[in-house]
């Protein structure tokens, strides 16, 4: 799928835009004023594969810690700021590689422009102009938003007005976000904006809720847009740990093949009446024993011979279960018959024997 | 979003196609030969909201149980049959409201046509012609499938050839599926087929793997297509319980507003340094206490005053947390200040006071 063409914007050493891979970000949930706690969480997120972190900066105490956080962080740090442009200016002074604002809630319009000018003077600093449906509805009243199309149009036109304002002050390193708390309005807003500007897009569903609900809403909303070539950096937001946000974000990119699979991908059938073995148990065992293996490979664990051989052709190593015996496949070729009780051992051994191969899977 | 226009096909009392709501289906994972066990699982799935069930029919023992399963099932039953057209004919005799085949693995082509003719004589019976990428690759060899576009083209052209064969025998109640075990090839195949026929589509990602991986792959793959108006009935397949398949399928439709929310939808923010309360705990408590309430409503549980009031405008009941007090909102209007420790009680009480209202949320 072709990516929508955008300008490239830098946030520290990460490029955002169609000239760069789609990046994954999250947001710390510690008190930003607590440097140690916040840096510890950023390091954990970086370890998982997170590429950009955001920290809320609600007050002076938080902004005073920001310099140490930026200095110690392995990831570029974006300061999330509301209401007060002075906090945004102070975040630039502290060395933040990005600032996220919602111009609609900035109280001092003259001060906001001073911030845009200050940000435009710093290389490698981006400003995200992030509007969400709640902030639009909250200000304009419910009555104008009867249809998702109306809301999308409002969100996009308001955001692009803000961007013009920033551009007039010389700021061009702009990323925008248009988050709805429901999936259809979010998709509609980004689709609409895609044709009207060349700013890179930060994708997410805001206030998506607890993990189970958030993962489904985010995978659909972010995934649909990415599958249409729209989106340059993503954040899965959930009322839960930021670690899970990062894992879900990476999984979305991997599912769309926008990011190399890290480790072994297991494909497995849903089982049915044809299945004569305990496939769930076999998959769990294989998954557990291959977890963390630094090898890009696809492993198929199939319950029977209906789809097994076909899926085997798409996998590096595969097994198709039978009542007493299963068949082991390597690179799509049937290798040998294996007693059912030894299938897990056989699959794991074959995968471990694979040579790292860049073009695999 | 406009649905792709399709013919309408009936499977028992459920209509599939653009003239009907998108339906959710699953597949029993019991031995079909065991009538009691299979019927018990079908009843559980129906209770959760599943609308169509599929049962694998791999042998005579299974087909002999099918009559009793169909007679006792609250849902239309689709028999999943491979290799042997005589099992498909017997499934029709047993009263199955649908049969799913992959014509590519049927050994007797003359017998297959006899099955098409027999199926065409039965009102309310649909045949799903279901091809998956594994079965194509397995037969054609890997070398022709270097690009996802090639594979999609192969899957679609082969499937439409099968359909022509069936139509020549008088069968028109056809649903098709084109499942890939990866998301991009699945999306590509359905998008391609969408412009070439008016058959309703059964959507799914085959061999999607264990629940965590399957939910993300299925939400993206199924969700992207539905968000483009493509797809008429869906099945989330996972190496796990069919109950989870149904829950995930329903959640996908609800997220895209293709199905009325059942019960209370909770939206909640991801928390950040601005949050002064234990939001995860508050959300979990509210979710637990409102679970199963037969009321369509949207409840926003927000950590602070930045997005709280805006999200409140989109919710029936909302709360925005603060250090000692939070604010309670009803229909977007601030109702009152509530001590932090009493927020859960206050939200639950307000939601319980809501009248059932069809146009709510």
């Amino acid at each position: 799928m072709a990516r929508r063409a955008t300008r490239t914007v830098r946030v520290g050493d990460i490029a955002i835009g169609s000239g760069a891979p789609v990046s994954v970000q999250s947001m710390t949930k510690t008190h930003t004023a607590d440097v140690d706690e916040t840096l510890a969480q950023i390091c954990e997120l970086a370890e998982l594969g997170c590429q950009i972190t955001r920290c809320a900066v609600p007050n002076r105490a938080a902004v005073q810690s920001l310099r140490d956080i930026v200095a110690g962080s392995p990831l570029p740090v974006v300061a999330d700021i509301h209401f007060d442009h002075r906090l945004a200016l102070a975040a630039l002074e502290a060395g933040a590689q990005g600032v996220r604002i919602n111009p609609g809630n900035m109280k001092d319009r003259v001060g906001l422009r001073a911030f845009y000018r200050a940000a435009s003077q710093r290389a490698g600093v981006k400003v995200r102009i992030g509007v969400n449906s709640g902030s639009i509805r909250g200000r304009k009243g419910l009555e104008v938003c009867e249809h998702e199309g109306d809301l999308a149009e409002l969100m996009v036109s308001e955001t692009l007005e803000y961007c013009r304002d920033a551009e007039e002050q010389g700021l061009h390193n702009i990323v925008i976000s248009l988050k709805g708390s429901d999936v259809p309005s979010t998709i509609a807003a980004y689709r609409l904006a895609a044709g009207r500007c060349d700013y890179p897009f930060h994708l997410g569903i805001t206030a998506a809720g607890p993990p189970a609900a958030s993962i489904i809403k985010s995978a659909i909303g972010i995934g649909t847009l990415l599958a249409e070539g729209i989106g340059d950096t993503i954040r899965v937001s959930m009322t839960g740990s930021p670690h899970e946000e990062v894992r879900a974000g990476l999984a979305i990119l991997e599912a769309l093949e926008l990011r190399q699979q890290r480790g072994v991908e297991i494909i497995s059938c849903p089982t049915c009446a044809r299945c004569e073995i305990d496939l769930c148990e076999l998959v769990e065992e294989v998954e557990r024993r291959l977890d963390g293996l630094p090898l890009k490979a696809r492993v198929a664990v199939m319950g029977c011979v209906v789809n097994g051989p076909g899926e085997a052709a798409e996998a590096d190593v595969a097994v198709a279960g039978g009542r007493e015996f299963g068949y082991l496949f390597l690179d799509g070729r049937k290798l040998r018959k294996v007693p059912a009780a030894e299938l897990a051992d056989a699959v794991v051994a074959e995968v471990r024997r694979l040579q790292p191969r860049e073009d695999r899977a």
Side-chain angles (χ1 to χ4, degrees), chain A residues 142-223:
Chain A
L142 271 171
E143 68 286 0
V144 292
C145 303
E146 290 302 304
H147 305 289
E148 71 195 39
D150 293 347
L151 181 58
E153 178 60 46
L154 271 178
M155 286 173 71
V156 173
S157 57
E158 182 156 319
T159 301
L160 295 181
E161 261 174 56
Y162 294 143
C163 293
R164 272 192 293 277
D165 200 23
E167 295 260 5
E168 280 172 13
Q169 306 304 316
L171 180 67
H172 307 295
N173 278 342
I174 298 172
V175 170
I176 70 177
S177 63
L178 302 142
K179 299 186 183 182
S181 56
D182 63 77
V183 174
S185 69
T186 302
I187 293 174
Y190 281 102
R191 280 179 177 163
L192 194 63
R196 295 203 194 163
C197 64
D198 78 336
Y199 299 116
F201 289 167
H202 166 116
L203 303 185
I205 305 292
T206 192
S214 162
I215 286 174
I216 286 196
K217 288 182 185 177
S218 300
I220 299 175
I222 295 171

Side-chain angles (χ1 to χ4, degrees), chain A residues 107 243 283:
Chain A
K107 288 166 186 160
H243 310 75
V283 168

Side-chain angles (χ1 to χ4, degrees), chain A residues 78-137:
Chain A
V78 177
D80 193 79
I81 287 164
H82 292 270
F83 309 130
D84 188 344
H85 74 280
R86 292 167 302 181
L87 291 173
L89 282 168
L92 292 179
E93 286 301 319
Q97 290 94 345
V99 177
R100 180 261 162 148
I101 56 168
N102 177 348
N105 69 27
M106 284 288 172
K107 288 166 186 160
D108 179 342
R109 315 301 291 177
V110 175
L112 177 61
R113 290 181 182 136
F115 162 71
Y116 289 147
R117 287 193 299 277
S120 74
Q121 299 304 310
R122 294 179 184 261
V125 169
K126 65 118 193 190
V127 173
R128 171 155 67 95
I129 292 185
V131 165
N132 59 46
S133 58
S135 66
I136 300 276
R137 279 200 215 245

